[in-house]
Amino acid sequence: MGNKKILVTSPLLPPLKELQPYLEKIWESKWLTNNGHYHTQLEKALSEYLKVPYVSLFTNGTLPLMVALQALRITGEVITTPYSFVATTHALWWNGIKPVFVDVDLATGNIDPNKIEAAITPKTTAIMPVHVYGNPCDVEAIQSIADKYGLKVIYDAAHAFGVEENGKSILEYGDMSTLSFHATKTYNTIEGGALICHDAKTKEQIDYLKNFGFAGETTVIAPGINGKMDEVRAAYGLLQLKHVDNAIQRRKAIADIYRKELKNVEGITFFQDLSTVKYNYSYFPIFVDEEKYGISRDRLYEKMKSKNIFARRYFYPLISDFSTYRGLPSSSKDNLPNAHKLADGVICLPMHHELEEDDLSRILELMVK
Ligand SMILES: Cc1ncc(COP(=O)(O)O)c(C=O)c1O
């Protein structure tokens, strides 16, 4: 067994020779961006793959969050989770919206619907949950609270590419959902993302907003932004769709091995998969209980590093602990006990399609010993 570097992820790349003909077409056409041929094709292909009718491509996964908030005219306060990547809350901040953090459910890492109502004030206009690690939120419970109080729901589904529950895409829930196609994600377009909505008129509005608000050559109907995906990345994205299922299958096999080998290790726990959910195996988070495991999460993390195994502590620290958000009343530790418990114990183990049996043995040997 060697000592090669094992990284938490490795990007899925389409074979270079498959990309070449696409690049030649782009060079021939000289149409590089602004709703080009491959952009149109990828929106169509993704809408079929993801089983949702309306997909608007973006240049990353942060801009669709920003645009969703603009399109739905969200203001005031938005209820969200501290257990996510910081972009979720930054999108609110950039829109002048106050985030209100609600604690998470220990079984999924997602916002706990039972704690949402207590956080609603007259200024609340929306809920922005995250399907963290691709684990589906309790979408029914969240929707019934939203309906009761007249709130919008925007799902940050950055991790939830292709995730389904009871045969239905998780992206069908809420008013809108956003995806990230960042290089580290299960499906990537290097940088990229999408905004999912449920009707043609809203898609049209989103498409104006991601193109500076232009609704014609000389008409600007809103203060839009530049969120457009270019032709090269759209073509790359089309190719990725041919390979992503194999990559997900390999990830599933790795998750099965981790589960099997770690299930009896005292002090190490992980989320349980539900039989009703089709997962994408984006991440494999484990949670270390220092007392039972014998060493702390950080000791284990450092030990891995010393053996050239680079896991990551997603999501530690909590967003509510970053300087921008620390002063908010909802950021207090007492308000977020479960989120702190997860953040203090988590390590995301290496998870990608290129991990080999030897790599897994090295990781597991170190953890099980
Ligand atoms: C939960 C979550 N939301 C939003 C984003 C932002 O996506 P992007 O990096 O594509 O802008 C990420 C990216 O990693 C994320 O993990």
Side-chain angles (χ1 to χ4, degrees):
M1 228 180 280
N3 191 35
K4 83 169 199 235
K5 229 181 201 180
I6 303 176
L7 299 176
V8 71
T9 191
S10 172
L12 179 66
L13 281 158
L16 203 48
K17 65 173 189 314
E18 286 185 21
L19 188 60
Q20 182 72 22
Y22 286 77
L23 294 180
E24 282 167 11
K25 281 223 166 96
I26 295 170
W27 261 242
E28 253 167 51
S29 75
K30 299 193 173 152
W31 191 329
L32 303 185
T33 187
N34 285 28
N35 209 17
H37 172 70
Y38 290 126
H39 183 283
T40 310
Q41 270 194 39
L42 182 58
E43 283 194 347
K44 188 162 174 289
L46 279 172
S47 126
E48 279 162 21
Y49 182 93
L50 297 169
K51 303 186 189 163
V52 285
Y54 301 102
V55 176
S56 290
L57 288 173
F58 275 80
T59 196
N60 59 49
T62 302
L63 281 163
L65 289 168
M66 305 281 295
V67 166
L69 292 163
Q70 287 281 325
L72 294 168
R73 300 190 182 282
I74 304 301
T75 56
E77 295 178 2
V78 169
I79 290 173
T80 189
T81 167
Y83 194 69
S84 178
F85 182 64
V86 72
T88 312
T89 316
H90 281 352
L92 297 170
W93 204 260
W94 273 65
N95 274 290
I97 295 162
K98 182 175 164 188
V100 176
F101 296 113
V102 161
D103 205 12
V104 298
D105 177 355
L106 285 175
T108 59
N110 290 327
I111 196 164
D112 182 346
N114 296 316
K115 296 184 179 150
I116 291 177
E117 281 195 78
I120 294 174
T121 76
K123 291 188 182 153
T124 310
T125 55
I127 308 170
M128 192 187 262
V130 179
H131 301 296
V132 77
Y133 309 125
N135 289 342
C137 287
D138 187 343
V139 287
E140 305 286 356
I142 291 170
Q143 195 56 52
S144 71
I145 297 166
D147 291 343
K148 183 168 163 194
Y149 292 90
L151 306 176
K152 300 287 185 196
V153 182
I154 300 167
Y155 282 103
D156 181 339
H159 305 165
F161 181 87
V163 171
E164 295 178 12
E165 194 167 31
N166 297 314
K168 188 170 158 178
S169 169
I170 205 68
L171 305 172
E172 282 198 36
Y173 295 90
D175 293 278
M176 292 187 191
S177 294
T178 66
L179 290 165
S180 165
F181 306 150
H182 182 257
T184 53
K185 300 292 190 282
T186 306
Y187 169 86
N188 83 81
T189 58
I190 305 176
E191 291 273 0
L195 183 48
I196 313 300
C197 65
H198 310 304
D199 64 90
K201 195 160 174 286
T202 307
K203 171 158 166 56
E204 198 181 19
Q205 190 194 3
I206 290 165
D207 290 345
Y208 294 147
L209 283 173
K210 76 175 187 190
N211 186 26
F212 309 99
F214 274 107
E217 201 179 321
T218 53
T219 315
V220 171
I221 56 160
I225 201 158
N226 183 359
K228 292 170 277 128
M229 181 183 278
D230 62 79
E231 284 292 276
V232 174
R233 286 187 290 151
Y236 174 107
L238 278 167
L239 282 174
Q240 293 288 66
L241 275 183
K242 298 187 189 170
H243 301 283
V244 69
D245 285 342
N246 283 342
I248 291 174
Q249 241 178 38
R250 176 65 190 141
R251 283 168 176 271
K252 180 180 181 336
I254 292 163
D256 288 345
I257 294 171
Y258 279 145
R259 281 175 187 285
K260 181 164 166 272
E261 300 299 326
L262 294 173
K263 73 168 188 281
N264 294 323
V265 179
E266 176 87 357
I268 300 278
T269 53
F270 38 80
F271 294 128
Q272 294 308 312
D273 276 1
L274 300 174
S275 60
T276 48
V277 176
K278 183 180 160 209
Y279 292 94
N280 65 15
Y281 308 94
S282 294
Y283 302 87
F284 197 86
I286 56 137
F287 301 91
V288 182
D289 179 327
E290 181 175 353
E291 253 173 51
K292 292 188 186 148
Y293 187 60
I295 63 168
S296 69
R297 182 274 307 273
D298 289 342
R299 275 285 307 282
L300 176 60
Y301 173 74
E302 292 302 332
K303 217 171 123 186
M304 286 178 166
K305 272 213 282 202
S306 74
K307 299 282 181 199
N308 245 356
I309 299 165
F310 294 88
R312 293 298 293 268
R313 288 167 292 183
Y314 301 137
F315 288 97
Y316 165 84
L318 292 176
I319 301 176
S320 47
D321 280 345
F322 289 124
S323 59
T324 314
Y325 306 109
R326 203 181 288 151
L328 294 169
S330 64
S331 293
S332 86
K333 201 168 175 180
D334 296 347
N335 187 44
L336 307 167
N338 290 347
H340 277 277
K341 188 166 193 297
L342 294 181
D344 290 345
V346 72
I347 298 183
C348 282
L349 298 183
M351 172 51 95
H352 58 83
H353 63 291
E354 282 176 341
L355 281 177
E356 292 168 359
E357 304 309 308
D358 263 8
D359 303 330
L360 293 172
S361 303
R362 265 175 63 200
I363 298 163
L364 289 164
E365 210 168 275
L366 182 143
M367 292 181 68
V368 174
K369 256 187 204 165

